[in-house]
Each structure stands twice: as C-alpha cells, then as structure tokens.
Amino acid sequence: ALPALVAGVRLNASSSGAGCWAEPELRDLRACSALAMRLLGTAAAAAAAAVESRPLPRVPAALGWQWKQANWKIYRWCSSGVIPNEKIRNIGISAHIDSGKTTLTERVLYYTGRIAKMHEVKGKDGVGAVMDSMELERQRGITIQSAATYTMWKDVNINIIDTPGHVDFTIEVERALRVLDGAILVLCAVGGVQCQTMTVNRQMKRYSVPFLTFINKLDRMGSNPARALQQMRSKLSHNAAFVQLPIGLEGDFKGIIDLIEERAIYFDGDFGQVVRYGEIPAEFRAAAADHRQELIECVANSDEQLGEMQVLSKLILAIRRATLNRSFTPVFLGSALKNKGVQPLLDAVLEYLPNPSEVQNYAILNQDDSQEKTKILMNAKRDNSHPFVGLAFKLEAGRFGQLTYVRNYQGQLKKGDTIYNTRTRKKVRDIEEVFAGDICALFGIDCASGDTFTNKDNSGLSMESIHVPDPVISIAMKPSNKNDLEKFSKGIGRFTREDPTFKVHFDTESKETIVSGMGELHLEIYAQRMEREYGCPCTTGKPKVAFRETITAPVP
C-alpha cells in the first residue's frame, strides 16, 4: 500500500508513472494506506520509504514542460507551518445547472499540472471528469456530491471544492460555502443569471463569501456576456463590471482583452496551454477604453482610496479591497470547453480572493447558565499558540469507513493530540498535522455533519452551524426483497448521516418508511445508490394516507 498523508486532502503521490493519481484512485489510496499502516506498522513505513525513493512524476508534456519533474512532495507540506496564510486559498466553484463548473475545474487541474490528461463530462472516451468520481455522476453527466481537491499555481496552494448545480443537492453547496474563504460564481453566457444562480448568490451572502464571476461558454451560439452582466446588476443587485472583454463571440471567439493591463491574451497550443500576449486589436480599442473607464468608476464607487490616481498597482489593490468587502464583483470571461480564459482566472484567484487570515470566523461559547450567545473571534495564525477548533462539514462513507472533511479554523492539530466532539463530548482520533486555514480529512470519526472539534480546554466552543433547508417532497421507500432489510437500514443510516436534508421516518399507521428530500431527483439518486452500493433494489411510491371516519351529526 502506498503512503498517503490525509491532511488538507493532500496526497504524497510519488510514483514513477506520468502525471498523478486520479481522484477515485486517491480515495482508495487513502483508505488502503490507513488500513495498511494500522496492520503492518513499521513494515508499512519501510515500504513507504522505498516508494518515496522512486523518481518523481512527470508533468504532462502538453504543458510544454517535457522532461521536467514536478516535486509533488511539496504538496505534502502545503498544510504545514512552512507555508504562510498568504500562500493558501480555499475556494469553491458554484453555479446553475450545466454552466460548466466541473469542466472548469478539470481545466484548472490540468493547467496547474495536477492531472496529466483532460476528460470531458459525459465525454466520448467514457472516462468522465476527474471530479466526478461517482459512477452515477459519470453516467448522468451531473455533479451529485461536492468533491474536494487541491493544486498549486505560482507557488500558492489552492484547495478547491466543486459543487453541484441542481437545487436537489443544495446542501452540498451550503456546507461548502460555509467553510470556504472565497468562491467563483460561474454563469453561462447564453443563459445568464438563472434560478439556481440566485440561490447560490443568497448562500454566498449568508456566509459573506467574496467571489469572482466567470462568464463561461462564450463559444456557444447566442452567447451574450453583456446581457449576463446586466442581469447580475438587475437581478442580483451586484456592483459588477468587466475586467476582460472578448475578442469575438460564438465561432469567432479567439481570446480576451485584459482591461487592467490593457493587452490582448490568446491561448495557443492543442489545449490552450500556451498563453500569448499581444496588442489590443484596432477594432476593439475604443470599446476597451470605454469599458476600462466603466471599471474604474465602478471600483471608485465602492473604494474611496482609489482616488483620482488610477495607477495600475492602485487599481489592482482597490479591486481586491472592494472584492473582499463584497462591494464590487469583477467579471471574467472565457470558455472552459475551448480552453480559453482559465489561466487569467487562476491569476485572479490569487490576486483578488482572500487567504484564511483575511476572513473573520467566529465560534459560539456554549454557556449552560446563560441564554445569550457569546461570539469569539478565531485566530488564523498557523501555529499552536491558540487552542484547536475545527468544523466537520461533510461526511463520506466508503468501503474502509467514514471519511470526515474538517475545516481547521484555529490552532494546530498533530499526531498524538486528542480532540473532542463538542456535541457528544466524546474523544476522537487525530491525524498527522494541520494548521489554521487547512481543510483536512479524518478517517474513522464518529460524528455528524456540522459537529465542532476542539481540544479539552476549549470544549465549550462550537462553530456557527450550517443552514439546512427543510425537505420539500416525501415518498415511500422499501426494499424489493424482504431479505434485504438489514442492507436497507444500513444504507438509510449512512445516507442520513451524510446528508442533513435527507430525512427518514417510519409511519406507524401505514407501516411504511417515508423518506423526504429536496426533490424527485434527490430521492431517485438515493434509491439508485441503495442498489449500487448496498445491493438492495428499492421500490418507491406515493405514501399511503390513513383515512378516518367521524360522526358529524346524530342519526334519528
């Protein structure tokens, strides 16, 4: 079994093969590693040392770095105190259905060297995108569960959570935005602002998440980024402006114009991996000058420090300040499918989105004798000078046990430490080493989504809980075979722990198990997962209603 460091969902993928591990392989690798280390002890450690002595993996030749090696071991230490907060970004990618979130994430991982080859959502090769690790996701071409990964861009560690777009899986977006520092809101250049875009916008507002906007699919027929921007202003009430302009649209989409640096950007090569800069084409210079002035005015309206001196460095800093205050939204353009506009978006993530120390997070002090809630500001220093506080925001059960995703808000957690679940007051296991600002994963922890972990001295604290919407639809569900009742109850128990919006109760009158969720698709997916993951085919239908008779009038 290869060694894996389950910290910040980071893997030490030292392999002699090309590229790096795909996400499904990573999950099995983590699980197998944890099991092997427990069973083999020092023998596993010796095997790990032997593996780590192999040559480091090659970066994809398509990136133009052939015969250069990427030191993936750097990723192992991205969570450690070696790298400061300024070198960390925790971001999510959210949007309406089919706006291109997963395709955009695939390009981000490719251009940063995290994966060796790009695959399309429901592509002809049948492989599917890396972030769609569930078989159901690859078959349907949709994201069902939020998927976490990490990558490096210009020596900055970026933790990415790709979220679903369907309203049925809105809890996945909710709990991702709860623990992230920034986000990218993806809009379709044809559809513009749609119903789920408004839902995601409300969720970002609820947790005060600064975000960038990326208008995708400029290569599609009928694309109109100007209309999408206008809808952001009218429907979402955002002070938004272009920081880029397209060079052509639909089939003529060739590149973008950077309004801040005042230059044209083209994406050459088979996969758009070669970024080329040039002069703004003559026919676009007048429009570029007008939109640049509009950008400066929008930023100046929300940032008083910009003033009359629109120096380049001052403009960038003003956009950053206004974005962090959520008083301005920079709008970027591109086409993820056609490999255009992704690298400048990555630069913007580093330039304009906050690092963990720039976001204020509060914990609530639980006092039994007081009704008032006392809020305590978390300290984002990446050391052990403050007690550990973390929030479990997502559970994922696999063949080797439950994987719990935890966001560390304060302090350090290292091997040998004991932490407590503030809800159950129980001790839990530890992991290697994580610091404030990291997103990590713990194996074998008995907890629920939204639980807070602290050290013993701080067990009275709990992080503000995640907003859970009420279910909107209910159906009756039962195993097709009566002999599968044990599998059915095991699956129901796991799904209710993973998903707070999936509710189950037994109707004593009709003798039926009633499941409730956020929509028909939501419950249909769980019925299919029950069959695939537990070998328990289920029958669903409308809940029975118990009718009653009553005496309404005396009979003579």
Side-chain angles (χ1 to χ4, degrees), residues 109-124:
L109 295 179
Y110 179 76
Y111 292 135
T112 56
R114 186 73 170 81
I115 58 176
K117 188 178 179 181
M118 291 184 290
H119 296 282
E120 307 305 331
V121 177
K122 292 193 77 173
K124 294 179 181 178

Side-chain angles (χ1 to χ4, degrees), residues 84-252:
N85 271 318
E86 292 72 27
K87 295 286 187 181
I88 297 174
R89 298 291 185 276
N90 295 318
I91 67 165
I93 299 179
S94 302
H96 185 77
I97 309 155
D98 292 335
S99 294
K101 300 177 296 299
T102 304
T103 303
L104 175 61
T105 309
E106 189 85 356
R107 267 60 182 172
V108 166
L109 295 179
Y110 179 76
Y111 292 135
T112 56
R114 186 73 170 81
I115 58 176
K117 188 178 179 181
M118 291 184 290
H119 296 282
E120 307 305 331
V121 177
K122 292 193 77 173
K124 294 179 181 178
D125 56 7
V127 177
V130 169
M131 300 300 279
D132 287 342
S133 57
M134 286 177 62
E135 187 182 347
L136 270 173
E137 290 178 320
R138 291 193 292 271
Q139 281 185 358
R140 288 174 172 262
I142 61 173
T143 302
I144 294 171
Q145 289 185 332
S146 57
T149 188
Y150 74 96
T151 190
M152 295 284 283
W153 181 254
K154 297 184 177 178
D155 295 327
V156 176
N157 186 86
I158 305 175
N159 295 318
I160 303 172
I161 297 182
D162 177 35
T163 61
H166 289 75
V167 69
D168 300 64
F169 312 112
T170 188
I171 187 63
E172 295 286 340
V173 186
E174 192 82 40
R175 54 190 177 190
L177 292 175
R178 169 64 183 83
V179 298
L180 293 171
D181 303 321
I184 298 172
L185 177 65
V186 182
L187 297 182
C188 174
V190 180
V193 173
Q194 297 166 279
C195 57
Q196 190 63 9
T197 313
M198 298 180 183
T199 304
V200 170
N201 179 64
R202 283 197 302 272
Q203 291 168 327
M204 289 180 179
K205 185 177 181 180
R206 182 180 295 128
Y207 300 114
S208 301
V209 178
F211 66 95
L212 312 175
T213 298
F214 181 70
I215 299 180
N216 194 21
K217 302 189 177 184
L218 262 64
D219 60 302
R220 277 187 61 189
M221 286 288 291
S223 62
N224 190 340
R227 183 180 62 208
L229 175 65
Q230 190 57 42
Q231 289 176 346
M232 282 194 69
R233 292 170 175 170
S234 60
K235 293 184 177 181
L236 304 182
S237 302
H238 284 304
N239 176 27
F242 287 129
V243 293
Q244 295 172 345
L245 283 183
I247 301 176
L249 285 173
E250 301 177 354
D252 298 325

Side-chain angles (χ1 to χ4, degrees), residues 149 176 386 494 532:
T149 188
H386 291 78
R494 172 191 156 189
R532 289 170 183 267

